[in-house]
Amino acid sequence: MRSTILLILFLAAVVGLYRVGTDPYRTALPLEVEDLSPIEPQLAKLPPEDRELVVDYLKRSKGDVLPAQFADPDDPLTARTFAEAIALEKKHREKMKVEQARIAAFRAERDAQFKPLRDIVSARIVHRERLSSEQVYGSSGGGYAKSAAGPAGGERITVITYRFWNRGNRTITSLRGLAEVAGSGLMPAASCVVDSNEPLGPLDHRDVRCRTPRDANAADRALMERPLAEIPLGWYPREIRFDDGQVLKGPN
């Protein structure tokens, strides 16, 4: 009887070790995530959706494994196996869905506040050129709107021309706002501050030239090289003053 029990326990241990060795979900996550070839055989055993979750988790965590007491309780990076990574990445995606919905609602509300001013003054990109630093910074003012200090040497700079149309039937005496192309990070791919006290007549337009950031990353530079009509421009008018004294203000 004793030998039978020992045999059963031995077989159970063997089966358990076999399952650990063959179950891809028990695979330990690598600390180095630049090259995933060592775990490719285990990844290949997963369904495509689970494989994607593991890879996305590794990209997000960069191989870091934080102790639970030091991890973000709302979005921890504590996974050590495929199964744990899948569970945490699912929770992360759900959290991102909620956050994206919140941001979308906020933007919709802001757009509604900007709409009365945008209906009067519209903005679009009409020209793009590459100029030398001497062409851009060689003369005082240079016809450019506010931007960062210029680079040294012969670096070529992308200059964008923005056109602002007065769509109304009254003369605008003062226009303030910001035209901006959202970048891939925290900084915009391009922006142009408008702060003008020159009259802009009904159905007339004014062109403003602005430099793009000299330290833009590759993704933002590629975005600004798209056809002009495909560059997603945001126009945020802050204040419009008319010759009859009326003032329209956008959200802060």
Side-chain angles (χ1 to χ4, degrees):
M1 183 68 178
R2 179 181 175 83
S3 60
T4 302
I5 294 174
L6 289 175
L7 178 61
I8 293 172
L9 291 175
F10 174 76
L11 292 175
V14 170
V15 170
L17 289 173
Y18 175 78
R19 287 178 177 174
V20 169
T22 59
D23 183 0
Y25 290 95
R26 296 174 181 263
T27 303
L29 296 179
L31 297 178
E32 298 295 331
V33 298
E34 294 297 325
D35 179 15
L36 298 182
S37 57
I39 60 170
E40 281 296 342
Q42 290 80 15
L43 285 172
K45 295 178 182 179
L46 299 176
E49 58 273 17
D50 285 352
R51 183 164 60 245
E52 180 182 307
L53 287 166
V54 172
V55 172
D56 285 354
Y57 178 88
L58 290 172
K59 289 178 180 178
R60 190 164 59 87
S61 69
K62 297 184 173 71
D64 293 338
V65 183
L66 297 176
Q69 62 269 30
F70 299 122
D72 180 350
D74 296 324
D75 205 359
L77 296 173
T78 55
R80 296 180 181 275
T81 65
F82 282 8
E84 292 174 358
I86 290 168
L88 289 179
E89 193 62 19
K90 285 181 178 178
K91 290 181 179 179
H92 173 74
R93 290 188 178 184
E94 289 302 317
K95 179 183 177 183
M96 288 300 99
K97 286 181 182 178
V98 173
E99 180 65 12
Q100 288 166 2
R102 185 192 67 80
I103 292 174
F106 172 78
R107 287 178 175 170
E109 182 181 352
R110 294 269 289 178
D111 283 343
Q113 294 172 330
F114 279 117
K115 187 177 186 304
L117 287 80
R118 288 172 174 165
D119 287 344
I120 295 169
V121 177
S122 63
R124 64 188 179 99
I125 295 173
V126 295
H127 189 57
R128 174 180 55 219
E129 55 192 328
R130 297 277 290 169
L131 302 176
S132 68
S133 56
E134 289 78 12
Q135 289 174 298
V136 175
Y137 303 104
S139 59
S140 60
Y144 299 95
K146 299 177 182 178
S147 63
E155 179 182 347
R156 298 193 73 80
I157 302 155
T158 299
V159 175
I160 303 295
T161 301
Y162 302 82
R163 178 163 294 173
F164 301 92
W165 280 94
N166 179 359
R167 300 295 184 181
N169 55 11
R170 291 181 292 174
T171 296
I172 294 171
T173 58
S174 175
L175 176 62
R176 292 177 173 79
L178 174 69
E180 185 174 86
V181 178
S184 57
L186 296 177
M187 301 302 294
S191 64
C192 194
V193 175
V194 181
D195 188 352
S196 174
N197 293 316
E198 297 180 22
L200 181 61
L203 305 180
D204 198 1
H205 70 270
R206 176 170 297 123
D207 290 349
V208 180
R209 303 165 79 200
C210 284
R211 301 170 281 255
T212 58
R214 57 178 297 197
D215 56 351
N217 59 39
D220 290 352
R221 290 196 300 271
L223 174 62
M224 296 309 299
E225 290 302 319
R226 291 182 185 179
L228 298 184
E230 296 180 10
I231 297 176
L233 179 65
W235 165 227
Y236 308 99
R238 301 297 184 188
E239 181 181 281
I240 301 174
R241 291 180 178 270
F242 300 94
D243 58 354
D244 61 7
Q246 183 184 12
V247 179
L248 293 181
K249 290 184 177 291
N252 295 323

